[in-house]
Amino acid sequence: MLKTTPFHARTAPLVRAQTWRRWAGYQMASAYDPHPDREYAAIRNPAALIDVSPLYKYRLTGRDASRLLDRMITRDMTKLQVGQVYYTPWCAADGKVIDDGTVSRLDESTFRLTSGDSSLRWLHLNAVGHDVAIEDVSERIATLALQGPLSRAILEQVSPAEIGRLKYFRLVETTVGGIPVTISRTGYTGDLGYEIWVVAGQALALWDALVAGGTPYGLTPAGVWALDVARIEAGLIMLDVDYHSAHHAMIEEQKSSPFEINLGWAVSAAKAPFNGRRP
């Protein structure tokens, strides 16, 4: 039985062509129209609203949360400031990529990790001996991607935050239509865009607030097909499409190092030893 996201009550009536797909165990719209042309055009012209809630999400808290992540990912966690977001891969002991995602520093000792595949077991395996609490909040946090040239203007209408001053890969705790949210200047399209994180119980109210504020700007709900076209144009990689996870590869030749999938820039040459890099 496929799950549905907290936005399903709003998105399902818009799927006119019944173009459903499976994403991480969720029933998701490939496109709302029979073809994604209009939705893709919204990403590149006014703005598009995309449900990306199936992302796996983990909340890490405690004295050693940063140490755990520094051991696990290829980026240098000592440089990640509160309110900043990393995009990063993480590797097995042989230096082959397991997955890629984002790490957000919410406060001094609280982090949110997102991933394309389940990472809970890997987090716990690496957390042995660390003072850290790991929570799977995948179903408790809903996420919308607001992407496109007018995404900033839309958010400035519905949020009191100084969105125009929010730098790339930074986040802010604020409200949208009075609903508490976290807004990060991140996305998967290569265009101006933001991701909005909200507790699942407030998801429908958030959708309504964004649609009300964005409709005058041409805001259009978009499905996964349009998102996929945009991310290919931007040269952004996807697990199980552009590379295989080292945990699921059937043969050695299916595995990739970060350098083989153009993520060498995300590997710190100066940090302490981490998974995939010996002392």
Side-chain angles (χ1 to χ4, degrees):
M1 182 72 176
L2 290 177
K3 297 180 286 187
T4 57
T5 79
F7 299 105
H8 188 75
R10 295 292 184 270
T11 59
L14 303 177
V15 184
R16 291 179 284 276
Q18 297 303 306
T19 48
W20 297 103
R21 67 184 293 155
R22 180 191 299 265
W23 177 6
Y26 285 84
Q27 178 183 342
M28 300 295 295
S30 292
Y32 297 105
D33 293 338
H35 300 284
D37 305 36
R38 183 177 65 91
E39 297 162 33
Y40 164 75
I43 294 175
R44 294 297 186 227
N45 291 284
L49 192 60
I50 309 162
D51 182 2
V52 293
S53 298
L55 286 169
Y56 289 91
K57 313 171 198 76
Y58 304 98
R59 183 180 176 89
L60 286 74
T61 56
R63 183 182 62 189
D64 293 336
S66 181
R67 283 185 58 202
L68 165 59
L69 288 166
D70 199 50
R71 173 181 177 177
M72 178 176 153
I73 70 172
T74 62
R75 305 286 298 270
D76 187 346
M77 282 298 299
T78 65
K79 297 181 179 179
L80 186 69
Q81 303 298 312
V82 174
Q84 187 177 358
V85 183
Y86 269 166
Y87 168 70
T88 181
W90 49 95
C91 300
D94 60 359
K96 303 301 183 179
V97 177
I98 295 170
D99 204 343
D100 65 293
T102 60
V103 176
S104 303
R105 189 164 199 163
L106 305 180
D107 61 38
E108 286 296 333
S109 59
T110 305
F111 302 83
R112 179 174 57 235
L113 171 74
T114 69
S115 61
D117 196 7
S118 175
S119 297
L120 189 60
R121 182 173 181 271
W122 188 243
L123 282 165
H124 280 291
L125 286 173
N126 283 277
V128 174
H130 289 74
D131 180 10
V132 58
I134 303 166
E135 298 177 82
D136 184 345
V137 296
S138 302
E139 296 187 9
R140 289 158 46 190
I141 302 295
T143 313
L144 288 172
L146 176 63
Q147 304 285 305
L150 298 184
S151 56
R152 178 186 293 132
I154 292 170
L155 284 178
E156 288 176 336
Q157 295 299 311
V158 297
S159 174
E162 294 182 320
I163 300 298
R165 300 182 64 181
L166 188 63
K167 295 180 179 179
Y168 195 42
F169 273 77
R170 299 296 193 276
L171 59 83
V172 62
E173 303 284 345
T174 183
T175 62
V176 167
I179 303 155
V181 298
T182 301
I183 298 176
S184 56
R185 189 175 166 186
T186 52
Y188 205 39
T189 64
D191 217 316
L192 174 65
Y194 303 85
E195 290 175 316
I196 307 164
W197 313 76
V198 65
V199 295
Q202 293 288 319
L204 297 182
L206 173 63
W207 178 279
D208 293 342
L210 287 169
V211 168
T215 296
Y217 291 84
L219 179 64
T220 301
V224 179
W225 280 344
L227 177 63
D228 204 35
V229 173
R231 72 97 189 160
I232 291 171
E233 287 184 339
L236 303 175
I237 63 171
M238 178 179 286
L239 177 67
D240 294 331
V241 175
D242 301 299
Y243 74 96
H244 295 276
S245 170
H247 282 171
H248 303 307
M250 300 297 291
I251 58 175
E252 194 65 27
E253 285 71 17
Q254 288 183 322
K255 298 179 181 180
S256 305
S257 75
F259 300 93
E260 292 172 311
I261 55 175
N262 201 31
L263 291 182
W265 61 269
V267 178
S268 172
K271 68 179 283 189
F274 55 90
N275 287 346
R277 180 187 176 199
R278 296 187 178 93

